[in-house]
Amino acid sequence: MNEQLKKITEEALSRIASCEDQAGLNEVRVAYLGKKGEITQLMKSMKDIPAEERPAFGQLVNDARSKVEEAIEEAALAIKRRDREKKFREEEIDVTLPAKKLRIGHGHPCQRALDELERIFTGMGYEVVEGPEIEYQEYNFTKLNIPEGHPARDEQDTFYITDQILLRSQTSPVQARTMEKGKLPIRMISPGRVFRSDSIDATHSPSFYQVEGLAVDKYITMTDLKGTLTEFAKELFGPDTKTRFRPHHFNFTEPSAEMDVSCFKCHGKGCRFCKGEGWIEILGCGMVHPNVLDMCGIDSREYTGFAFGVGLERIALLKYEIDDMRLLYENDQRFLDQF
C-alpha cells in the first residue's frame, strides 16, 4: 500500500507540473482528490488494513493529500500570474505614439438654418410646436379651407395612405390642431418634414422641410404681418434688408401675398445671384381666412390672425449660397465639410 501511495503521489505531482491552464488543474484535482479520486479511495481502503497499521498509513495518506493540494495551489497561482503578464503584454499601450485626432462634427446647413429661424421667432415670443407627419385629410385640407375637388387633393400631388389618411403636404395641420385647443392668443411656428409628389431636381424633392408661423389675437392686421416678417428678414439676412409684398392666392389666407427680400449680395442692384432682379422670393403669407378660424372653433368676428410659410431648404440654399438642393441630402463629406 505504501508503494502504491508513493506512486500515485508522484503521478499526481508530475501531472500538476505539466498543466498549462486552470482546466487541467481541475481535472487533476478531481482525479486524485475528488469523491472517486485515487487518494480518496486509498483513504477509504484503510478498513482492510490491520488496526495497528492504520494510524501510520492514515498519516501517510494525509501527507500525500496535503502535498497534492499545495502543488495544485502553487500551480494555479503560477498560471494566473503567467496569464496576467501575457495580458499586460498584449494590452500594452505605447504612450510615445501620437494620439488619434478626434473629428468634431458640426451642424448640417438645414439644421443651422432651422436653429436660426427658431432663435429669431422665439425671441419675438413665439413657441415651437410640432405635429404628426401622417395626417388626416380633414386637418391637411378641409380645416384649411381647401374643399373637395381642389387640385391640391389630387392623388398626383399628394401621397395618400387611405382615402382619409395621407402624408402631410404642409405643416399647416399643426396650426389647425393648435387653434382647436382654443387657448388664445396664439404665437407659434411649426417646423417639420412634409411630402409632395414632386420629381427630384435642383429645387424640388418629394420630401422637404417647412417652417410655418401663426399668430391669432384680437385686432391683428396686415401691418402686424408685414412688420413681423420684415424684422425676421433683417435678423436673418442683415439689417439693410428690404422687403416687398406681392398679391397672391392661398386658400387658407385672405388677403394673401408673396414676400421678397432685397438681394443680400448686390443690395438690390441686380446680380447673378438674384438673376438681375435685385429681389429674391422667400415665402408666402397672408391674413388667416375667416373660414379657417371658424372651422377651428375661433370666432372670426372677434379674432383675426396672420400666417406664413417658408421652405427650410430654400433658406439654407440662399443663406449658404448653395445652387442645388440635392447636395443637402447626399451626405457627401466633401460638401458638408465646407460648413
Side-chain angles (χ1 to χ4, degrees):
M1 294 291 284
N2 291 348
E3 288 298 323
Q4 184 181 2
L5 177 60
K6 184 178 179 181
K7 182 180 178 181
I8 290 173
T9 304
E10 290 175 353
E11 287 178 355
L13 296 175
S14 176
R15 286 185 61 181
I16 291 170
S18 63
C19 285
E20 294 292 331
D21 52 34
Q22 192 63 47
L25 287 178
N26 290 335
E27 290 179 5
V28 173
R29 186 189 301 276
V30 171
Y32 292 94
L33 305 179
K35 290 183 179 180
K36 297 181 180 180
E38 295 189 39
I39 294 178
T40 304
Q41 293 301 320
L42 286 176
M43 183 68 75
K44 292 180 180 179
S45 67
M46 286 179 59
K47 62 180 183 296
D48 301 326
I49 298 176
E52 64 275 8
E53 297 179 10
R54 288 177 188 171
F57 183 72
Q59 184 62 47
L60 291 174
V61 173
N62 285 332
D63 291 344
R65 185 181 186 89
S66 297
K67 285 183 181 180
V68 172
E69 287 178 343
E70 289 176 5
I72 290 175
E73 288 178 5
E74 290 176 0
L77 288 173
I79 290 172
K80 187 175 181 180
R81 189 181 304 111
R82 182 201 64 196
D83 290 346
R84 183 170 61 248
E85 291 174 354
K86 180 182 178 182
K87 186 175 182 181
F88 285 158
R89 288 194 301 271
E90 292 174 348
E91 297 180 359
E92 183 179 8
I93 299 174
D94 187 350
V95 295
T96 64
L97 291 174
K100 291 182 179 179
K101 186 177 180 180
L102 296 177
R103 291 184 60 116
I104 300 176
H106 55 78
H108 188 277
C110 285
Q111 184 61 53
R112 293 173 67 175
L114 177 59
D115 291 343
E116 183 73 359
L117 262 66
E118 290 185 351
R119 180 191 67 80
I120 293 170
F121 282 105
T122 55
M124 294 182 187
Y126 286 66
E127 64 174 328
V128 180
V129 183
E130 297 182 347
E133 294 179 359
I134 299 175
E135 189 55 275
Y136 290 107
Q137 187 172 226
E138 178 185 7
Y139 288 99
N140 198 72
F141 293 128
T142 306
K143 287 184 178 293
L144 300 177
N145 203 36
I146 301 176
E148 291 282 351
H150 191 279
R153 292 185 179 233
D154 195 285
E155 291 186 2
Q156 301 301 315
D157 193 58
T158 304
F159 294 105
Y160 282 85
I161 298 174
T162 70
D163 59 347
Q164 295 299 320
I165 300 175
L166 45 76
L167 299 180
R168 67 182 181 185
S169 57
Q170 56 221 350
T171 59
S172 302
V174 183
Q175 300 178 3
R177 289 177 176 275
T178 302
M179 285 189 284
E180 272 191 343
K181 294 178 181 178
K183 187 178 179 180
L184 297 168
I186 296 172
R187 302 282 191 282
M188 62 165 286
I189 58 170
S190 52
R193 185 166 56 170
V194 299
F195 307 86
R196 293 183 189 175
S197 186
D198 286 333
S199 299
I200 299 175
D201 59 30
T203 57
H204 295 85
S205 171
S207 175
F208 58 98
Y209 286 80
Q210 266 192 344
V211 179
E212 296 197 16
L214 174 70
V216 178
D217 202 349
K218 295 180 179 180
Y219 314 119
I220 286 183
T221 67
M222 192 75 176
T223 303
D224 300 308
L225 166 64
K226 295 176 71 174
T228 299
L229 294 182
T230 298
E231 185 64 25
F232 158 67
K234 289 178 181 292
E235 281 285 325
L236 188 63
F237 297 113
D240 297 329
T241 303
K242 295 180 175 60
T243 58
R244 73 176 183 183
F245 294 80
R246 295 176 287 104
H248 198 71
H249 170 74
F250 299 112
N251 278 59
F252 32 85
T253 54
E254 180 60 38
S256 304
E258 293 273 12
M259 187 183 91
D260 302 332
V261 296
S262 57
C263 179
F264 45 86
K265 294 290 288 184
C266 66
H267 303 289
K269 297 177 182 178
C271 65
R272 181 190 62 81
F273 193 74
C274 61
K275 299 178 181 178
E277 296 183 2
W279 295 92
I280 300 172
E281 179 188 327
I282 189 173
L283 58 81
C285 59
M287 299 300 293
V288 180
H289 199 293
N291 290 349
V292 174
L293 293 172
D294 291 334
M295 282 188 285
C296 293
I298 296 176
D299 188 349
S300 61
R301 294 168 299 180
E302 185 177 0
Y303 288 91
T304 55
F306 64 75
F308 57 88
V310 58
L312 184 63
E313 286 84 353
R314 180 158 182 76
I315 294 295
L317 293 177
L318 291 173
K319 193 167 181 63
Y320 302 113
E321 300 183 32
I322 303 169
D323 58 7
D324 194 324
M325 181 178 177
R326 290 168 291 193
L327 292 170
L328 297 173
Y329 302 122
E330 291 175 348
N331 294 324
D332 189 322
Q333 196 68 45
R334 296 168 298 177
F335 168 74
L336 296 175
D337 283 344
Q338 299 177 58
F339 304 95

